[in-house]
Amino acid sequence: MTGYVEGFEGPYCRIEVDGNIQAVPREQVDPKVKAGDAVELKDGKWVTDPAATKRRTDEIKKLMDDVWES
């Protein structure tokens, strides 16, 4: 399962999965995960997917560049 970290609130990490936000207890999230990361569920713990995070970051940057060029 893959998701995107929207941010953190108290003891929870907000992860978007298939368009729905899930409040996941922080103990189920790797401490290295940060807002904006693409994450995947491995052995019951959400961990960063570096390749997916880079692709998403590059895609967002391109969209922003396109907006500012218009």
Side-chain angles (χ1 to χ4, degrees), residues 23-55:
V24 178
R26 283 190 187 223
E27 53 270 1
Q28 294 177 9
V29 179
D30 185 85
K32 297 175 197 153
V33 169
K34 57 189 179 306
D37 282 354
V39 291
E40 59 185 332
L41 188 59
K42 284 189 175 178
D43 299 323
K45 193 152 197 128
W46 290 94
V47 296
T48 301
D49 179 338
T53 299
K54 178 164 178 21
R55 278 192 307 272

Side-chain angles (χ1 to χ4, degrees), residues 3-33:
Y4 300 101
V5 176
E6 296 292 321
F8 297 88
E9 278 184 23
Y12 296 99
C13 176
R14 294 186 327 274
I15 300 176
E16 178 188 339
V17 178
D18 296 328
N20 298 309
I21 303 295
Q22 298 180 6
V24 178
R26 283 190 187 223
E27 53 270 1
Q28 294 177 9
V29 179
D30 185 85
K32 297 175 197 153
V33 169

